[in-house]
């Protein structure tokens, strides 16, 4: 929550857009002059809020460690059982352009689940830009579920 507060404070336009999205998506609470409930937020489709959280997590390192339970491979590199593997959520592909990877080295599941392959990596990847996560369904800006 601390990082979310920091980014919303540093980016007043994002904060304003989020407030507008929340008021529009949770209009019953606004019309009744009350705060919206946790259940209302939980059941609402709020892609812009999701994008802000995804962007916050992308920029701030959250290392994940796994131990290989069996001999395996990652991008064609052998990993022996018992090896500690660190997955960093920052660095190339997160804050700077990706390393070039021969797609044939990826597993079929990895190729099928690869998201945001169309990000423009010439942009400043260290910048907080939640809109990079939005999928536009139509001509809208993607802030609302039906955009």
């Amino acid at each position: 929550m601390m990082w979310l507060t920091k980014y919303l404070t540093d980016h007043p336009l994002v904060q304003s857009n989020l407030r507008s999205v929340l008021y529009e998506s949770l209009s019953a609470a606004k019309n009744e002059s009350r705060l919206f409930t946790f259940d209302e937020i939980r059941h609402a489709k709020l892609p812009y809020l999701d994008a802000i959280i995804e962007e916050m997590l992308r920029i701030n390192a959250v290392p994940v460690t796994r131990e290989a339970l069996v001999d395996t491979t990652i991008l064609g590199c052998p990993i022996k059982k018992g090896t500690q593997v660190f997955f960093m959520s920052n660095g190339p592909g997160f804050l700077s352009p990706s390393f070039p990877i021969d797609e044939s080295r990826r597993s079929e599941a990895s190729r099928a689940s690869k998201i945001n392959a169309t990000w423009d990596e010439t942009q400043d990847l260290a910048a907080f830009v939640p809109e990079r996560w939005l999928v536009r369904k139509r001509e809208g800006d993607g802030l609302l579920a039906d955009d």
Side-chain angles (χ1 to χ4, degrees):
M1 287 302 287
M2 175 184 71
W3 284 113
L4 182 60
T5 302
K6 178 200 180 305
Y7 286 117
L8 290 176
T9 302
D10 288 348
H11 298 86
L13 181 58
V14 172
Q15 183 183 144
S16 177
N17 287 342
L18 178 60
R19 184 179 299 110
S20 296
V21 165
L22 291 174
Y23 284 155
E24 187 169 338
S25 299
L26 305 166
S27 58
K30 182 162 178 20
N31 293 340
E32 296 169 13
S33 298
R34 63 174 174 80
L35 295 175
F36 30 82
T37 67
F38 172 75
D39 277 343
E40 287 173 318
I41 294 172
R42 189 168 59 102
H43 291 102
K45 292 182 180 177
L46 299 166
Y48 194 56
L49 177 59
D50 293 341
I52 289 169
I53 293 169
E54 291 288 348
E55 186 71 348
M56 176 194 65
L57 293 172
R58 181 188 70 82
I59 292 176
N60 297 287
V62 181
V64 175
T65 308
R66 296 287 186 258
E67 181 176 326
L69 300 177
V70 297
D71 289 348
T72 190
T73 60
I74 298 177
L75 294 174
C77 300
I79 307 294
K80 293 201 177 287
K81 177 181 176 179
T83 301
Q84 295 289 316
V85 180
F86 290 80
F87 299 94
M88 298 303 294
S89 65
N90 64 355
F94 290 91
L95 302 178
S96 61
S98 302
F99 291 130
I101 301 287
D102 179 358
E103 291 297 312
S104 67
R105 297 184 78 183
R106 294 185 187 276
S107 68
E108 185 177 326
S110 173
R111 287 191 303 270
S113 67
K114 190 173 180 185
I115 62 168
N116 295 327
T118 59
W119 277 3
D120 181 359
E121 290 192 346
T122 62
Q123 301 279 327
D124 182 3
L125 294 178
F128 182 76
V129 182
E131 291 77 13
R132 75 176 86 234
W133 292 93
L134 296 174
V135 175
R136 287 151 182 85
K137 293 180 182 175
R138 291 183 280 206
E139 294 299 316
D141 53 17
L143 298 180
L144 298 170
D146 294 331
D147 284 352

